[in-house]
Amino acid sequence: MNTKLSVMSNLIWRFAERMGAKLVAFVVSVVLARILDPSAYGTVALITVFTAILQTFVDSGLGNALIQKKDADDVDFSTVFYTNSIFCIVLYAVVFVGSPLVAKFYDNPEITGYMRVLGLTVLISGLKNVQQAYVSRHMLFKKFFFSTLGGTIFAGIVGVFMAYQGYGVWALVAQQVINLTIDTTILWITVKWRPHKVFSFERLKGLYSYGWKLLVSSLIDKVYTEIRALIIGKIYTSDDLAYYNRGEQFPQLVAANVNISIDSVLLPAMANEQDNMQRVKYMTRRSIKVSTYVMAPLMIGMAFIAEPMVKLILTEKWLPCVYYMRLFCISFMFFPIHTANLNAIKAIGRSDMFLKLEIIKKTIGMIALLTTMHMGVKALAFSLFITGFVNQIVNSWPNKKLLDYGYGQQIKDILPGIIVAIIMGFAIYPVQLLGLADIATVLIQIPLGAVIYIVGSKVFKLDSFEYLRDIAKKFMTRRK
């Protein structure tokens, strides 16, 4: 059974890994953004639309099935490894053959070469996926820290060097391929599991019966997410796509790290408790409360300081991304509701319900997308913002019955932290009106916001603040 400290320890390692890697990647991206034109980022984003969709076949489904299965052993892991490896070879063949068609679609012949090289990430992921599932199942998240950080640092150095040498788009392509290659290599060195010479169609059938619903769900989600980039790149310009993606990148740097960290640890922890519904409810509720408490000040704060931050880090040529950044900040703040509710559904084995929810959400999203696609990129982004709130209600709906923990109660749990975060945002905004240099403005706003949020948490005696403080004390005592 997972103890509170064990889960928290793994969460800290996972969070450190995500934040460390993303921080390095962020610094590298800032350097590259100052060297390269927005159009270069737009071109890579066009290619990523297709490779990201294919990547979903590798990252979802059977890997989650290995984590969820109570008694998964070497036969299960080896079976999935060989299945994934063969499947990834087929997927890369699709990328290689189909890349000229993508180039023709965008009327850009150079895309053929870019896509064939970037498509190698699909092959490499086939070697990484099962090792990654093994780490998650056995709560060995410390392993991720070294593999991810090593790959990100080395790839960042190569990417910056190539950009300075004038390689343009190739610098971004090489960075992604090298990052995943180093990441996978280090993971294979540090994780001792190796595939055995066994294969069971019966085991594969059992895993597939659970995993295919998650695979289809993830595929629907990924196609829906990436189709916006495809539409923007086709109907509008690569610059428009670059501003849209850059506006998402800043809040995603923080939100995705917190969310992925919790997602990675929460699913195996819940899966171990799947027969105890009260325990699953407690973990779901605690996850939503604590995660939103951490996320709210980060997202609200970033939304309020977006303009001076963009000018300081990326220069004024990237200012059009501020609008998108603010929308994504508010939307991402509620990610924990999505993550915790969906993990609870997956952990108790209801992948069928997971798929049904995905179909409902994406049907609503596609209606909004088709309605706004010709109204401009800002309208497209705003439609995503609105459907994000609708999706919260959809994702939480099953748990009103399964866990007796509905959307209304969830909002009630997170509202105090959000209110304190909003107060903090309005308190730090006037600093921008003083006419100071951008660097001075940001350096004042960030620590001031942190102080206001912490003091506000103490004054209003927020439950999540006291919970995290107690966990930190216990963790430090244990370390000593």
Side-chain angles (χ1 to χ4, degrees):
M1 180 178 290
N2 294 294
T3 66
K4 186 187 295 185
L5 288 179
S6 175
V7 172
M8 185 58 65
S9 176
N10 276 280
L11 180 58
I12 289 171
W13 273 111
R14 186 60 164 151
F15 184 69
E17 172 254 322
R18 296 311 308 167
M19 281 304 296
K22 286 293 185 180
L23 185 59
V24 172
F26 177 71
V27 172
V28 171
S29 71
V30 169
V31 176
L32 291 175
R34 288 174 171 268
I35 302 171
L36 303 174
D37 293 328
S39 59
Y41 279 93
T43 300
V44 172
L46 295 177
I47 306 168
T48 306
V49 169
F50 298 95
T51 56
I53 292 172
L54 294 178
Q55 190 75 40
T56 304
F57 284 99
V58 187
D59 292 338
S60 303
L62 294 178
N64 278 317
L66 288 174
I67 297 172
Q68 195 274 339
K69 187 178 180 182
K70 288 183 180 180
D71 55 352
D73 57 19
D74 283 334
V75 177
D76 296 293
F77 278 86
S78 298
T79 297
V80 172
F81 175 81
Y82 294 124
T83 302
N84 272 357
S85 298
I86 295 172
F87 191 53
C88 287
I89 293 173
V90 175
L91 287 178
Y92 181 70
V94 172
V95 173
F96 194 90
V97 174
S99 55
L101 298 177
V102 177
K104 184 177 181 180
F105 177 78
Y106 286 119
D107 194 25
N108 185 350
E110 294 182 343
I111 283 180
T112 298
Y114 299 147
M115 191 167 179
R116 284 175 173 173
V117 174
L118 192 58
L120 291 172
T121 56
V122 175
L123 275 178
I124 300 166
S125 293
L127 300 175
K128 179 185 177 184
N129 179 256
V130 177
Q131 294 281 28
Q132 191 168 314
Y134 185 88
V135 167
S136 296
R137 179 173 178 80
H138 295 88
M139 304 285 277
L140 303 172
F141 290 100
K142 187 176 180 179
K143 306 290 186 183
F144 279 144
F145 180 81
F146 299 104
S147 64
T148 305
L149 208 59
T152 305
I153 292 173
F154 187 79
I157 294 171
V158 173
V160 171
F161 174 78
M162 291 182 66
Y164 270 117
Q165 295 300 312
Y167 284 93
V169 175
W170 282 114
L172 299 174
V173 172
Q175 182 190 8
Q176 291 190 38
V177 175
I178 292 171
N179 192 345
L180 186 58
T181 302
I182 301 298
D183 186 351
T184 303
T185 302
I186 296 177
L187 199 60
W188 269 82
I189 293 172
T190 56
V191 177
K192 300 306 179 184
W193 181 86
R194 295 292 182 268
H196 295 249
K197 295 179 181 179
V198 290
F199 188 93
S200 171
F201 282 104
E202 191 65 28
R203 297 286 186 92
L204 180 62
K205 182 180 178 181
L207 291 166
Y208 185 73
S209 66
Y210 172 85
W212 78 265
K213 303 177 190 75
L214 297 183
L215 172 59
V216 173
S217 300
S218 296
L219 188 60
I220 292 172
D221 180 63
K222 183 58 70 173
V223 170
Y224 170 74
T225 301
E226 298 297 337
I227 201 171
R228 270 185 165 74
L230 188 151
I231 289 173
I232 295 171
K234 182 64 178 177
I235 298 180
Y236 301 99
T237 68
S238 59
D239 283 4
D240 288 324
L241 179 56
Y243 295 135
Y244 178 89
N245 283 349
R246 183 62 68 177
E248 182 181 20
Q249 183 189 38
F250 275 93
Q252 192 176 56
L253 171 70
V254 177
N257 286 327
V258 174
N259 200 57
I260 291 173
S261 302
I262 294 166
D263 185 36
S264 301
V265 178
L266 196 60
L267 177 57
M270 283 183 171
N272 286 334
E273 304 283 357
Q274 59 186 279
D275 295 325
N276 185 343
M277 298 302 285
Q278 285 300 314
R279 182 67 179 161
V280 173
K281 176 183 177 179
Y282 170 79
M283 296 175 76
T284 303
R285 186 176 187 184
R286 180 56 68 186
S287 174
I288 289 175
K289 292 174 69 174
V290 173
S291 303
T292 306
Y293 173 79
V294 173
M295 195 87 81
L298 299 175
M299 294 295 96
I300 293 292
M302 188 178 295
F304 273 93
I305 70 170
E307 187 171 331
M309 186 172 72
V310 168
K311 288 194 294 183
L312 172 64
I313 297 174
L314 299 177
T315 70
E316 293 191 0
K317 68 180 180 180
W318 288 96
L319 276 177
C321 78
V322 169
Y323 170 85
Y324 307 110
M325 186 187 303
R326 285 173 172 156
L327 284 182
F328 280 117
C329 279
I330 300 172
S331 183
F332 286 172
M333 180 172 64
F334 293 94
F335 259 24
I337 290 182
H338 301 283
T339 303
N341 278 299
L342 293 177
N343 268 322
I345 294 169
K346 286 191 291 183
I348 60 179
R350 293 300 305 271
S351 58
D352 58 327
M353 179 64 72
F354 191 98
L355 177 57
K356 290 176 184 176
L357 295 179
E358 205 60 45
I359 293 173
I360 293 170
K361 290 183 295 184
K362 295 314 179 277
T363 300
I364 296 171
M366 285 303 298
I367 293 172
L369 175 63
L370 295 174
T371 302
T372 57
M373 62 185 290
H374 291 292
M375 296 181 183
V377 182
K378 288 185 177 181
L380 272 171
F382 191 74
S383 72
L384 181 63
F385 172 76
I386 295 298
T387 54
F389 284 92
V390 176
N391 291 346
Q392 292 175 42
I393 301 173
V394 175
N395 285 333
S396 62
W397 171 71
N399 286 327
K400 184 175 184 180
K401 181 178 180 180
L402 295 173
L403 304 178
D404 190 28
Y405 186 46
Y407 183 67
Q409 191 176 359
Q410 292 173 19
I411 291 296
K412 184 178 178 181
D413 281 341
I414 67 174
L415 196 57
I418 292 177
I419 291 174
V420 174
I422 292 173
I423 293 173
M424 175 209 71
F426 279 107
I428 65 174
Y429 181 76
V431 177
Q432 298 179 35
L433 307 179
L434 299 177
L436 303 174
D438 292 325
I439 187 170
T441 300
V442 172
L443 289 178
I444 292 173
Q445 287 178 312
I446 291 176
L448 178 61
V451 170
I452 292 172
Y453 191 68
I454 292 172
V455 171
S457 299
K458 288 183 177 181
V459 170
F460 292 103
K461 297 180 180 179
L462 298 189
D463 172 69
S464 294
F465 171 75
E466 295 177 355
Y467 175 83
L468 287 174
R469 182 181 59 189
D470 291 343
I471 286 290
K473 288 180 179 177
K474 291 178 182 177
F475 186 76
M476 292 304 296
T477 301
R478 180 190 179 192
R479 299 297 295 178
K480 289 180 180 179

